Amino acid sequence: MSNIPSQSTMIIGHRLLTASKSIGLPKLRWRRCLGIVIYTMKYHPEQISAILQGEEKPRIKPSASYTILNLDPQQQFSGIDQKSLAKLVKEKDVGRLLHLGGVERIALSLDTDPESGIGKVTNSDDDNNDDDDEVARRQHAFGANTYTKPQCRSLFSFVWEAFKDPTILILVFCAALSLGFGIQENGIKQGWYDGGSIFVAVFLVISVSALSNYGQSRQFDKLSKESSNVKVDVVRRGCRKFISIFDVVVGDVIWLNIGNQVPADGLLVEGHSLQADESSMTGESDHVEIDSTHNPFLISGTKVVDGYGRMMVTAVGMNTSWGELMSSASRDSAEQTPLQVRLNTLTSAIGKLGMAVASLVLVVLFVRYFTGNTQDDNGNTEFVRGSTTTSEILKAVVNIVAAAVTIVVVAIPEGLPLAVTLTLAYSMKKMMADQAMVRKLSACETMGSATTICTDKTGTLTLNEMKVTKFYLGHEPMAGKISSIVTSVTELIKEGIANNTTGDVQRPSLQADYVFSGSPTEKALLSWAVMELSMDMQEIKQNSTLLHVDAFNSKKKRSGVLVRSNTDSADHAHWKGAAEMILSMCSHYYIASGEVRDLDNEARKTFEQIIQSMAAGSLRCIAFGHKKIEHNAQESDDQPELREEGLTLLGMVGLKDPCRPGVKKAVESCQNAGVNIKMITGDNIFTAKAIATECGILRMGFDDQDGAVILGSEFRSYTPQQRLEKVNKICVMARSSPMDKLLMVECLKQKGHVVAVTGDGTNDAPALKQADIGLSMGIQGTEVAKESSDIVILDDNFSSVETVLCWGRGVYNNIQKFIQFQLTVNIAALVINFVAAVSAGDVPLTAVQLLWVNLIMDTLGALALATEKPTKELMDKKPVGRTEPLITNIMWRNIAAQAAYQVAVLLILQFKGESMFRVDTAVKDTLLFNTFVLCQVFNEFNARKLEKKNVFKGIHRNKLFLAIIGITIVLQVVMVEFLKRFAGTERLNWEQWGVCLGLASASWPIGWIVKCIPVPERPISSYLQSIKRTLSKGATALGFSSS
């Protein structure tokens, strides 16, 4: 059997099994039979050889309850039963895996190379097309890496939700009764108008509300899909590339690093110190060790918390446990933000007031009607005891109830939650275009209240484009003198860089450029080693065996490997990391000639000065350490030891990471907005100071003694009280750990700050969760960090953080604008209806007219005011913080002035309108209705600017606002001039329209004058609380205490 070449066997077997049916059934059967024999020879050569040589008798074994090999030529990847393969990983059955021949045999069945991934390694330009064909073939055979989502809520469900509102149901009931009485009294041609009009108005209100909520739901679903589109580091055709998680297929080889999400179920191909957090699947908080021997199983949806490695995908999408879980999990887009909760409280309070007013109106109207104090359109008394019919009484009662319920509809500001939803959805969409993806709605509004931002340095304030600019060997800079270094030393440096890395070097062809992968630091070191030291990474790896890996993390700030040279019996420990960390592990150092010298105190001080000088030049300092360990054949190889002491310093490099363009301006903008910027970095304190000064976080010539710059270890050593005393002064924290960042956040929150934190590492997750707003990095951020955050900064740029801050303030400001607008309408409508009902026994605005006003202020008003873009003026104000009331003194001043004017004008029209304009009651009521609506239109302009007198500034940029104002005016003209029977209005002449417009436009000069009146900074609510406390003390002093 050994004489048959493996490759030829596979080709012959494949051709025989896939023979065309056109050759005839008998020949087809013989060819398939021979193909099965050849496949058997390939997969079980030892058993076949033993049988042929007479060493073993053939015997039939009972079939197992599962199948992995299935030689059905009608299916692609016919040798794989994907259900059994998926079950293998789900159940973590090591015994079954060994029975199947291990990871290598499964990789062979999946036509996958554990090193180069799927697809053949070629230098062809058509690799992308070949990739697409290969991916399509595997998706057809095993499915795509997507899951069946729960069905989204339909438009009808939103309609039904709006319809179930109690006030709407009462209005529909009243409309039905009114329709019945109208048809009975006046016939179907004339009698349907009153009831039908209310039906149409209710339908409009429900439709607009449902459509708005449905649109926002679709928007949130779209953003949610975007947030789950994780990028995965995959190997295909021998090249590493980043692809969407949705494009991962069975057979793909995936690189996993700390913080990565496992994109699909699979088996570990190779790993070092790999640990996974499986709490999302099992609920167990303990981290699970992943290794090739005891537990090579990786579950989709889990997170890598330590180490790194490669996995081979065995199941995707709905064949994974994660897919099954996500398909059954419903996505709730109706998340209640803190502001919405506060607004619901406000809505409830206003609603109770509206209910009280409506109840009083109902009682007054009933009393007036049944005591004979109301008259119909002809001046006749409506209720006469003994002569008024039951149907007439019921009709009057229905009209009274409808009027009272409509007052409640107008009084309850349903538009407040809608306004929040609209402004959040609008802001989320615009922020996405500004490189910020919102994962939690509450972050939009909370960011507007932020008082402190704790930011990382690398990649956020800097470009994260590392480049080696300095190299020291011993105490000498080696710029331009690489050739003078003895070969043995450069070989050790290259060996350390090639083996102690999570990056990779690829060169598709001799004519092509090198391609470097990994983190920016890894890419910079690999690039330097290849270009300056002529490192051949593949050759170095082939000449050594990796024995042990101590992976890098942000706490240790170093990584190490133990390798065995294939040319001698020695083991070599290689370490790299923060220069002062590696220096503390060294007892000797190399010089360019290859001589090894003792690292005494004087030499150590010289190295420390070199590190400080590079750090002061904004360079990140990385050092390399090495120790040769003679291998004793009698010693056990089970537990190779990676030494951490007695190293020899190979050299140090300085990596330049320039500041981002515009970051200084963004920092100054945040500082001018009253927001403190604190830089928390793991870098050297001198590097941190240099970058902070360059970015504007530290002022030039600052005093080191004022506590502005501190080490993480020093901050950690303080008592809780000392931390609280010093935390406000700190601007820069260097050499900090993730726990130091968490301590900082906790202290700031205890001091009353609203804290935003940026983070990119897995260990940043606690701080991101603890902060009021967690900002993760979209490029360098791990999936753990992103899932712990509220907003993902897609370009890792601090300028985008400033943009998020501005949008957050815009959200809060837009909500305040709408509250001011809506409360003005609420107060005016309630007062005019109550006064008219008590004094005249009738409400001047019909149910249909009030529903139209409700539509204007709730939906159209929310659309107009909630979609204003943030202005630069918002960044000139102090942050709101935690304690600022939602309705400020400035807002109360504006509301009081506009509401008082509207009430005064409407009451004059109600009681003197007929005599002043010499019109009948119907025209007077139309004048009142028209003036009331136009007052709201003009007041919408006032609401655009809470403090500024020029309410028209920038209005040309808000086309939606202008469109809504135009639509409102057009519809109002239609209501008055063309829908007499529907709206209960009379046509107005040009003079009367001019009067209405004149009265309404007076709100503009009134708004201008009112804004000249200063208001106290102390909130009105605090005065009320002081009065309440004073009264309580007085009552206690007089002996009226509750005790």
Side-chain angles (χ1 to χ4, degrees), residues 31 64 109 155 173 253 260 314 532 567 815 838 901 905 944 966 972:
R31 291 196 179 195
S109 301
L155 177 60
F173 178 71
V253 174
N260 288 162
T314 57
E532 298 293 332
T567 58
I815 299 302
V838 171
Y901 171 71
V905 168
R944 287 189 69 244
Q972 180 63 15

Side-chain angles (χ1 to χ4, degrees), residues 207-273:
S207 298
V208 173
S209 175
L211 284 169
S212 297
N213 289 327
Y214 177 69
Q216 303 324 312
S217 175
R218 295 293 298 271
Q219 176 76 15
F220 294 142
D221 286 339
K222 182 179 178 182
L223 288 172
S224 175
K225 182 179 179 181
E226 187 70 29
S227 67
S228 61
N229 187 15
V230 177
K231 295 299 178 184
V232 178
D233 188 0
V234 65
V235 183
R236 287 181 178 171
R237 301 184 186 278
C239 295
R240 287 174 69 169
K241 61 178 72 175
F242 283 93
I243 64 170
S244 166
I245 190 173
F246 303 126
D247 294 332
V248 171
V249 293
V250 169
D252 264 329
V253 174
I254 309 291
W255 274 93
L256 297 174
N257 284 298
I258 295 177
N260 288 162
Q261 174 182 324
V262 179
D265 285 359
L267 298 168
L268 182 68
V269 175
E270 179 189 20
H272 303 284
S273 307

Side-chain angles (χ1 to χ4, degrees), residues 427-456:
S427 300
M428 285 172 70
K429 185 177 180 180
K430 292 295 184 182
M431 286 166 71
M432 191 74 174
D434 288 339
Q435 301 299 316
M437 183 176 68
V438 178
R439 298 186 71 254
K440 295 180 183 177
L441 281 177
S442 57
C444 281
E445 62 196 44
T446 312
M447 192 65 190
S449 307
T451 59
T452 302
I453 298 175
C454 298
T455 178
D456 286 334

Side-chain angles (χ1 to χ4, degrees), residues 339 423 427 431 443-453 669-676 802-817 868-881 946:
L339 184 56
T423 192
S427 300
M431 286 166 71
C444 281
E445 62 196 44
T446 312
M447 192 65 190
S449 307
T451 59
T452 302
I453 298 175
S669 178
C670 290
Q671 290 172 337
N672 292 337
V675 179
N676 296 316
E802 180 213 1
T803 303
V804 170
L805 177 66
C806 190
W807 272 108
R809 292 191 173 192
V811 167
Y812 197 86
N813 189 245
N814 285 348
I815 299 302
Q816 287 185 314
K817 292 175 187 177
E868 285 268 5
K869 290 184 178 180
T871 61
K872 293 181 179 179
E873 300 163 358
L874 294 174
M875 296 298 284
D876 295 331
K877 298 180 180 178
K878 292 181 180 179
V880 174
L946 299 179

